Amino acid sequence: MKLKYLAMTGGGALLGAALVMSIGIRAEEGPTVDAPETWQVAANTTNSKQPAISMEEVIRRMEEKYNGTVTEIELDREWSGDVYEVEIRTGDGYEWDVEVDAETSEILEEKRERDD
């Protein structure tokens, strides 16, 4: 009987120790974040610098390139950098939606639609 009691308490102690170690390991790991470090930095900083290319310069370049009139422009501050979103109407009945990098003036995306 004594041997049976020791086996039961010994097994319980081992199980308890394993449980405590398991919980202890999990507590030491701490929370995890799946976002890249650059996103975390961007979310925690304020980007107050002015873009390299002014809004007026972007308007001038877009009207010249597309031979139209800029009807809307917006500076969008994204984690990857500043982007101008520009809407241009042309005389031939089209509307262009253009994204322009505010640092390099590179056209990142352009889409043409029939202006109705």
Side-chain angles (χ1 to χ4, degrees):
M1 185 74 150
K2 197 174 196 182
L3 184 60
K4 189 176 183 183
Y5 177 73
L6 285 174
M8 286 176 42
T9 35
L14 285 174
L15 181 62
L19 181 62
V20 167
M21 294 222 12
S22 170
I23 292 171
I25 290 170
R26 286 190 189 139
E28 289 175 13
E29 290 175 0
T32 59
V33 177
D34 293 333
E37 287 181 25
T38 53
W39 290 5
Q40 293 171 12
V41 171
N44 293 328
T45 59
T46 304
N47 184 4
S48 60
K49 68 178 183 110
Q50 294 297 315
I53 312 294
S54 71
M55 192 174 284
E56 291 78 17
E57 181 64 16
V58 171
I59 291 171
R60 186 189 67 73
R61 290 181 185 186
M62 294 298 103
E63 289 182 342
E64 184 178 300
K65 176 175 175 51
Y66 293 95
N67 194 25
T69 304
V70 171
T71 58
E72 192 174 321
I73 186 168
E74 178 182 346
L75 178 62
D76 189 14
R77 297 189 184 272
E78 299 178 354
W79 68 270
S80 60
D82 294 343
V83 175
Y84 285 110
E85 295 177 355
V86 187
E87 186 176 289
I88 308 152
R89 294 189 195 259
T90 60
D92 58 358
Y94 285 98
E95 177 182 290
W96 288 86
D97 292 320
V98 183
E99 287 188 7
V100 179
D101 186 302
E103 297 301 313
T104 65
S105 75
E106 175 186 357
I107 295 176
L108 304 172
E109 186 177 325
E110 61 183 1
K111 184 172 76 172
R112 182 176 84 161
E113 297 177 342
R114 195 76 164 133
D115 189 20
D116 295 326

